[in-house]
């Protein structure tokens, strides 16, 4: 009998809700833990869940307290954790950016030379600045990094940014991106080939792939088929089926969700009709 897999999930913060809904969508049926309960089980899979802060997940995984976990890629690098990244999960996307006050003259990383920079990511910031040949003084702050320049605590900040609205609200201007991050599934170093980890990677990966695609169906006159299939941003070959009406075929294809809005008007112009797009639940390429 295969061993139960233990998995750490973010107990609060930005990554909590999307991590939980990914597990639900994957069909493992996580059981909602009660208030203040730190552990839960899954109804349909041999997985035990442990709820800890996202920033503690890399440590729990590295130390073998759990087999795997979900956290931010930035936290893996900040903690310099010896873990394997099994899967990029497509949410919690943000970038580590350097920013200065609007009125500051700095325009690039080189202009940070010798200046004071507030950050809650000191390890990753010092490594990435050193890679760019910049020597700066890093001031570690736990939160509200973006108010540090106005308070006179620092000349600049290095912080995670997703929309940029927090920077703007605090009168800051980005001068460059050091690192791109998103939520990731991590496992203890060297264990990615174990059965439980591989199964979890396939199952979660099938949901991530599915979310990024739509199932597209439409009808088209046979003599226009070549024109429309040339428009389709599909990797594989579309399915083409004869309809009861002679000379008309139905086309089915998987297309990237991001392309749907630009594709539909082009298909219509080409003569496609009865165009439908459907969400995909699972997709294993
Ligand atoms: P939390 O502080 O628990 O809400 O989550 C922090 C994690 O969420 C970070 O380590 C990133 O991986 C991710 N994240 C995504 N967008 C942002 C953002 N705009 N600011 C901070 N963290 C973000």
């Amino acid at each position: 009998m295969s061993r139960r897999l233990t998995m750490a999930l973010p107990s609060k913060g930005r990554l909590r809700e999307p991590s939980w809904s990914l597990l639900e969508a994957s069909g493992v049926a996580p059981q909602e833990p009660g208030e203040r309960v730190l552990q839960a089980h899954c109804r349909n899979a041999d997985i035990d869940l442990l709820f800890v802060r996202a920033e503690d997940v890399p440590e729990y995984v590295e130390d073998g307290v759990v087999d795997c976990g979900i956290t931010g890629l930035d936290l893996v690098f900040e903690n310099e954790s010896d873990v394997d990244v099994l899967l990029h999960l497509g949410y919690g996307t943000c970038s580590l950016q350097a920013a200065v006050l609007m009125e500051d003259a700095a325009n690039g990383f080189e202009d940070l030379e010798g200046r004071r920079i507030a950050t809650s990511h000191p390890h990753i910031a010092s490594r990435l600045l050193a890679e760019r040949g910049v020597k700066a003084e890093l001031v570690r702050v736990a939160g509200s990094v973006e108010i540090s320049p106005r308070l006179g605590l620092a000349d600049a900040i290095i912080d995670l940014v997703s929309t940029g609205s927090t920077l703007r609200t605090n009168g800051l201007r980005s001068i460059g991106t050091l690192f791109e991050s998103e939520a990731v599934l991590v496992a203890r170093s060297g264990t990615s080939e174990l059965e439980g980890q591989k199964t979890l990677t396939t199952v979660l990966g099938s949901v991530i792939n599915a979310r990024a695609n739509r199932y597209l169906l439409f009808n088209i006159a046979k003599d226009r088929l070549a024109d429309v299939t040339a428009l389709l941003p599909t990797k594989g070959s579309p399915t083409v089926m004869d309809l009861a009406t002679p000379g008309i075929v139905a086309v089915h294809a998987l297309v990237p969700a991001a392309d749907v809005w630009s594709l539909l008007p082009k298909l219509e112009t080409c003569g496609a009709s009865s165009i439908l797009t459907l969400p995909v639940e699972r997709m294993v390429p």
Side-chain angles (χ1 to χ4, degrees):
M1 206 178 77
S2 62
R3 198 172 71 79
R4 292 185 75 81
L5 193 74
T6 49
M7 181 180 189
L9 283 186
S11 55
K12 52 184 171 182
R14 285 184 176 82
L15 301 183
R16 187 190 117 89
E17 196 49 47
S19 302
W20 183 262
S21 72
L22 174 62
L23 276 198
E24 284 192 315
S26 76
V28 299
Q31 290 183 309
E32 191 84 53
E35 271 295 292
R36 294 169 192 277
V37 176
L38 296 181
Q39 284 173 299
H41 305 290
C42 294
R43 264 195 301 278
N44 298 340
D46 289 337
I47 303 175
D48 293 326
L49 304 171
L50 180 68
F51 298 91
V52 297
R53 292 187 326 170
E55 63 204 82
D56 292 334
V57 170
E59 183 81 40
Y60 275 75
V61 173
E62 183 176 352
D63 292 352
V65 176
V66 289
D67 299 311
C68 57
I70 291 180
T71 187
L73 189 60
D74 56 298
L75 297 169
V76 173
F77 280 82
E78 181 57 27
N79 291 321
E80 295 172 336
S81 309
D82 183 20
V83 295
D84 289 344
V85 174
L86 304 186
L87 196 62
H88 287 247
L89 302 175
Y91 58 84
T93 49
C94 54
S95 55
L96 193 67
Q97 299 188 15
V100 292
L101 288 168
M102 289 290 181
E103 59 273 23
D104 197 288
N107 267 321
F109 298 122
E110 63 283 4
D111 299 325
L112 297 177
E113 181 72 28
R115 303 186 77 183
R116 277 167 71 85
I117 308 174
T119 184
S120 50
H121 287 69
H123 290 121
I124 196 171
S126 68
R127 210 167 59 240
L128 294 171
L129 285 177
E131 275 173 22
R132 288 161 175 80
V134 177
K135 283 201 193 85
E137 185 192 342
L138 292 174
V139 183
R140 189 194 177 124
V141 287
S144 304
V145 180
E146 56 284 337
I147 58 167
S148 314
R150 282 273 173 244
L151 296 178
L153 179 68
D155 305 309
I157 66 162
I158 289 183
D159 201 14
L160 290 173
V161 177
S162 37
T163 61
S165 68
T166 310
L167 288 187
R168 282 191 294 279
T169 309
N170 288 283
L172 296 167
R173 174 171 59 80
S174 173
I175 56 165
T177 295
L178 287 160
F179 180 76
E180 303 279 357
S181 181
E182 69 182 290
V184 285
L185 174 68
V186 294
R188 195 149 36 94
S189 177
T191 65
S192 60
E193 287 306 309
L194 295 182
E195 190 191 330
Q197 278 82 336
K198 277 172 83 172
T199 305
L200 186 65
T201 306
T202 303
V203 172
L204 297 188
S206 73
V207 176
I208 306 295
N209 280 333
R211 284 175 173 176
N213 289 281
R214 295 290 179 274
Y215 196 69
L216 170 72
L217 309 88
F218 59 87
N219 296 341
I220 186 85
K222 245 183 188 162
D223 58 1
R224 303 297 308 272
L225 185 59
D227 298 339
V228 283
T229 48
L231 291 174
L232 297 178
T234 45
K235 285 201 191 86
S237 171
T239 305
V240 178
M241 288 172 286
D242 280 326
L243 292 187
T245 314
I248 308 283
V249 289
V251 177
H252 291 201
L254 209 57
V255 295
D259 292 336
V260 165
W261 77 275
S262 60
L263 184 61
L264 295 195
K266 289 184 199 156
L267 290 175
E268 205 181 13
T269 308
C270 243
S273 62
S274 304
I275 306 172
L276 300 176
T277 62
L278 306 174
V280 183
E281 204 168 277
R282 301 289 172 84
M283 181 184 155
V284 182

